[in-house]
Amino acid sequence: MKCLLCENTKIQKMETINKKDLIFLYKKIFQVHISYLVSQDIDFYKCPECSLGFFYPTITGDEKFYNSLQKFDWYYMNEKYEYEFAKQFIGPEDKVLEVGCGSGAFTKYLTTKNYVGLEFSENARKLALKNGIAVENISIQEYAKNHSGEFDVVVSFQVLEHVSDPKGFLEAKITCCRKGGRIIVVTPSENSFLKYAVNSALNLPPHHITRWSDESFYFFAKKYNLEIETINHEKVQELHKVWYLSTLFRTFLWSNKMIDISLANKIITTVINFISKKLAYKLKDEFLPFGHTVICVFSKRG
């Protein structure tokens, strides 16, 4: 066993996820069956060297799994905070590579037409092609072998946490980026309330494999001689205020296991959610803490 990012062997096991509980959770919340993917309990580890959190074995979702999630309206959102923020780092003449581009929603925020998207999902690729967006069905690791230093900006939105080989994924992004270019990485933030969220199925396998903190990005930048231009945390969004408050309350009142499907938890969750809904409107935006997403912009040193 070793860390998926820095390959440190002195990792710490933090928790074990019961496979039956995980299967039940996905079925209950999303009506998605994952028993064919999950055949054993899954351990969650934390690396003291690079601060990466990761699940092992690295069980990732397949085309069938993601097709089941794509039926929800929120899966491919055309408007996102991270799109608006990231566009300021991309010029009208820049050549852009987006890894895991989905339906190509980010292209609507770009002034440049020099764009290539990579995407595994055939459904997403079809949506992108309908909109006239160039998409290739290939991994970034394979693509990097023939496209070294070709792009001014290499970006991925909410993709890194899904891959079983984050080290190879990030190294390939660096390879594709020219010297002096930018690498933009957007993930859920482990520096936010998400770290303590219970029964958050989408932050568990087979959807998410890794969990990223600012410390992990600083480690990555130092290891690969990158400069961090900015690390930007969105504030808790309006649709997440109740979730944030309920997570905050239960942190003080109840256990914080990743999965808790007990009757006692169901009761206390109902009470906490009721209180949170009553109080959420009082939260002032300017005082809100870090929200769901973190955006890290690296520059590749010349």
Side-chain angles (χ1 to χ4, degrees):
M1 278 296 301
K2 59 185 178 181
C3 174
L4 299 183
L5 179 62
C6 70
E7 300 185 327
N8 174 32
T9 56
K10 296 180 180 179
I11 52 178
Q12 301 169 346
K13 185 164 77 170
M14 310 300 291
E15 190 172 339
T16 297
I17 306 298
N18 181 281
K19 70 172 184 178
K20 291 182 179 178
D21 291 346
L22 184 62
I23 291 168
F24 173 84
L25 192 65
Y26 269 96
K27 184 178 179 181
K28 179 184 177 183
I29 298 175
F30 304 112
Q31 296 77 53
V32 173
H33 299 271
I34 63 169
S35 56
Y36 72 100
L37 292 171
V38 182
S39 60
Q40 65 187 90
D41 293 346
I42 302 172
D43 294 321
F44 178 69
Y45 292 90
K46 186 75 179 288
C47 177
E49 181 70 19
C50 67
S51 296
L52 182 72
F54 64 95
F55 295 92
Y56 192 87
T58 52
I59 299 169
T60 57
D62 59 5
E63 183 82 2
K64 176 183 175 182
F65 171 76
Y66 284 109
N67 284 345
S68 297
L69 290 180
Q70 286 169 21
K71 65 185 179 184
F72 296 100
D73 293 339
W74 45 258
Y75 194 82
Y76 285 129
M77 295 176 63
N78 291 324
E79 297 181 8
K80 289 185 178 183
Y81 169 83
E82 56 255 41
Y83 292 165
E84 192 68 39
F85 185 85
K87 74 177 186 180
Q88 67 184 296
F89 297 94
I90 302 173
E93 303 299 325
D94 284 342
K95 186 174 183 180
V96 177
L97 174 66
E98 184 180 2
V99 187
C101 64
S103 60
F106 182 53
T107 59
K108 297 176 183 178
Y109 290 77
L110 300 176
T111 53
T112 179
K113 300 299 181 184
N114 205 346
Y115 169 95
V116 176
L118 305 183
E119 176 57 52
F120 274 144
S121 169
E122 189 58 34
N123 281 352
R125 184 168 172 268
K126 287 176 181 177
L127 287 172
L129 290 173
K130 274 185 180 180
N131 295 321
I133 301 167
V135 175
E136 297 193 31
N137 186 228
I138 186 175
S139 73
I140 180 63
Q141 290 91 330
E142 284 297 314
Y143 189 81
K145 293 176 181 179
N146 298 310
H147 299 275
S148 178
E150 282 192 16
F151 294 88
D152 300 293
V153 182
V154 183
V155 62
S156 60
F157 295 98
Q158 313 287 353
V159 176
L160 176 60
E161 66 274 13
H162 297 269
V163 302
S164 59
D165 178 19
K167 181 176 180 288
F169 179 88
L170 289 168
E171 288 175 345
K173 287 183 69 173
I174 294 173
T175 298
C176 289
C177 186
R178 67 167 176 81
K179 290 182 178 179
R182 289 185 169 116
I183 298 151
I184 303 175
V185 178
V186 180
T187 71
S189 172
E190 194 71 351
N191 294 97
S192 73
F193 71 94
L194 283 182
K195 179 178 180 179
Y196 306 102
V198 176
N199 294 339
S200 179
L202 293 182
N203 206 22
L204 298 169
H207 193 54
H208 288 179
I209 308 303
T210 52
R211 294 189 172 189
W212 295 82
S213 64
D214 293 359
E215 291 77 15
S216 297
F217 289 128
Y218 281 114
F219 175 91
F220 173 71
K222 183 177 180 180
K223 179 177 175 63
Y224 291 98
N225 193 31
L226 304 174
E227 179 183 345
I228 292 181
E229 291 191 40
T230 185
I231 294 182
N232 177 270
H233 288 264
E234 69 170 4
K235 296 295 185 180
V236 173
Q237 297 295 297
E238 187 67 34
L239 75 164
H240 290 155
K241 283 183 178 180
V242 173
W243 187 17
Y244 160 68
L245 280 178
S246 62
T247 300
L248 183 67
F249 289 147
R250 71 172 295 125
T251 299
F252 294 103
L253 298 174
W254 199 244
S255 68
N256 279 298
K257 297 191 299 181
M258 290 183 178
I259 298 180
D260 188 343
I261 58 175
S262 66
L263 177 60
N265 177 71
K266 185 177 181 179
I267 293 170
I268 197 168
T269 298
T270 300
V271 174
I272 288 174
N273 285 345
F274 176 80
I275 296 171
S276 298
K277 288 176 183 177
K278 295 292 184 181
L279 297 177
Y281 77 96
K282 293 186 177 182
L283 292 175
K284 303 299 182 182
D285 291 348
E286 59 268 30
F287 301 117
L288 288 172
F290 290 162
H292 178 283
T293 296
V294 59
I295 306 161
C296 191
V297 181
F298 305 92
S299 59
K300 185 174 178 179
R301 299 182 194 274

